[in-house]
Amino acid sequence: MNDSHDSWKKLVRAAKPALDRDAANPPPAPPVGRLKRAVEAIVLTLTWRKWALAAALLAAIIATAVYFLHRDDEPERPLIEPEPPLSEELP
Amino acid sequence: MTRNPPQDAIGTHPGGTWGKACMSELAPIAPELLAAVARGEDPAWEEFVALLQPQIHAIIRRQVRDTRDHEDLSQEVLTKIFVKLDQFAGREDFRHWVSRITLNTCYDWLRKRKVRPLSTYADLGEEQARIIEETTTRDEPAENLDHELVLETLHSLIDTLKPREQIVIRLLDLEDLSVREVCQRTGWGASKVKVTAMRARRKLAALLEQHDPDRPR
């Protein structure tokens, strides 16, 4: 196992010049303007989504409240309807 | 919206180096700039992106090899930073905080990807197998060695590890960071980093052992 650990270390050591070269000459990063615009668009989408969710929740709460208020306003019906008077015309 | 961190907490680099050369001379982020960004001032936001982009890009480039994803990841990191800016307590270097968000975004990306293209030594290309043999059987690297190919081979081997192991081994072995620096940049505990590194090196050693020419078959 130690030999294999040494093998790993040797590989890392052999790759050092390439790592140093890569660090010294990094490839060009994406343009700042494009990145800024993209992030702004994402943040705007997230903001809209957040507000849309809040609005939907608020609407649901209002609808529920209105429903219960209206239901309470309806005149209460007796649980047992009075029986209709018996007809006197019996056979 | 945001708490103003103390002046001395931002923009200092107590750890000194940021790993390799391109991280060592990054401009500090002024608390006034952070406050202006939090207020949504456009010129401040542009300056902020320009200051952070080299750091974010350098970290992503070292952790994620597929260059097609670099721009998307940069956008994701900057979005997270902007959204979480009011959570920055100012107790640490702002650039360490940025580093932590970037590395954790890379970690999530690696976890989602779940592609481990190489699982055994036999999956290595002929050239890569040859370069390993050439490198590991000598005490010193050969003069005409293709260092780029060695680095490519190293990355192929590291790609076989779990995402957390990949990040730790790249930071420790390829960027030459100390355990303390890895903890600062990832937000993971020292024991977790050490155990992860130990497991990763054990796996890599087992993979390399498969190719040991002196190994009994």
Side-chain angles (χ1 to χ4, degrees):
Chain A
M1 191 63 110
N2 276 338
D3 286 346
S4 306
H5 275 303
D6 286 347
S7 300
W8 174 250
K9 279 180 190 164
K10 280 180 187 171
L11 273 174
V12 172
R13 204 169 56 218
K16 281 285 173 204
L19 282 165
D20 293 342
R21 219 173 7 249
D22 184 57
N25 307 304
V32 172
R34 196 166 75 197
L35 198 60
K36 178 180 162 274
R37 279 193 300 277
V39 174
E40 279 168 356
I42 296 170
V43 171
L44 192 68
T45 309
L46 288 176
T47 310
W48 271 109
R49 200 178 288 173
K50 198 167 72 182
W51 282 111
L53 187 68
L57 279 172
L58 191 68
I61 290 167
I62 291 171
T64 313
V66 168
Y67 168 74
F68 279 107
L69 281 174
H70 275 269
R71 206 181 68 157
D72 290 347
D73 286 348
E74 283 177 18
E76 281 187 21
R77 285 184 188 167
L79 284 175
I80 301 165
E81 294 279 339
E83 284 184 26
L86 285 171
S87 167
E88 288 176 3
E89 293 172 14
L90 288 170
Chain B
M1 186 182 164
T2 185
R3 276 167 286 175
N4 278 355
Q7 179 84 33
D8 58 349
I10 306 173
T12 53
H13 285 209
T17 62
W18 278 90
K20 307 303 278 182
C22 64
M23 292 288 256
S24 61
E25 288 170 10
L26 292 169
I29 309 290
E32 297 78 25
L33 181 65
L34 283 186
V37 171
R39 284 195 300 271
E41 290 175 16
D42 198 55
W45 173 234
E46 186 149 1
E47 190 189 341
F48 184 70
V49 174
L51 280 170
L52 291 185
Q53 193 213 22
Q55 179 187 355
I56 293 169
H57 188 66
I59 297 172
I60 292 172
R61 210 163 48 79
R62 291 197 192 107
Q63 295 296 336
V64 176
R65 292 173 67 207
D66 194 340
T67 51
R68 288 169 302 179
D69 295 310
H70 288 181
E71 198 167 338
D72 287 349
L73 275 165
S74 296
Q75 288 171 12
E76 197 177 328
V77 170
L78 277 166
T79 309
K80 280 185 186 172
I81 289 170
F82 184 74
V83 171
K84 292 181 178 176
L85 202 55
D86 57 340
Q87 292 172 21
F88 176 62
R91 282 191 294 270
E92 59 180 328
D93 188 333
F94 183 73
R95 286 206 183 263
H96 280 149
W97 188 72
V98 169
S99 200
R100 189 176 304 172
I101 290 180
T102 313
L103 281 168
N104 280 299
T105 308
C106 291
Y107 172 63
D108 289 340
W109 185 90
L110 290 169
R111 249 181 0 161
K112 276 183 219 155
R113 191 166 135 262
K114 276 186 184 166
V115 176
R116 311 231 175 90
L118 173 79
S119 55
T120 67
Y121 195 89
D123 295 336
L124 275 177
E126 204 173 295
E127 273 289 281
Q128 290 182 317
R130 184 187 58 77
I131 211 98
I132 289 177
E133 195 170 339
E134 254 185 51
T135 314
T136 55
T137 49
R138 291 164 178 258
D139 286 335
E140 288 298 319
E143 274 182 18
N144 59 349
L145 190 68
D146 185 348
H147 301 289
E148 301 294 334
L149 188 59
V150 178
L151 184 59
E152 187 64 29
T153 310
L154 273 186
H155 281 302
S156 300
L157 292 169
I158 294 174
D159 281 350
T160 63
L161 302 172
K162 287 182 178 172
R164 195 185 299 278
E165 294 168 347
Q166 289 186 33
I167 287 180
V168 167
I169 219 72
R170 283 196 170 107
L171 290 174
L172 283 174
D173 287 358
L174 302 193
E175 291 192 39
D176 263 346
L177 298 183
S178 66
V179 171
R180 191 175 142 268
E181 285 170 318
V182 174
C183 295
Q184 276 178 337
R185 287 177 203 191
T186 55
W188 300 333
S191 53
K192 189 178 186 176
V193 169
K194 283 180 194 167
V195 169
T196 307
M198 191 187 70
R199 278 194 198 134
R201 289 198 183 112
R202 201 178 285 165
K203 283 181 190 172
L204 290 166
L207 202 60
L208 286 170
E209 216 170 50
Q210 291 176 26
H211 186 66
D212 188 351
D214 301 328
R215 181 178 171 242
R217 295 182 193 254

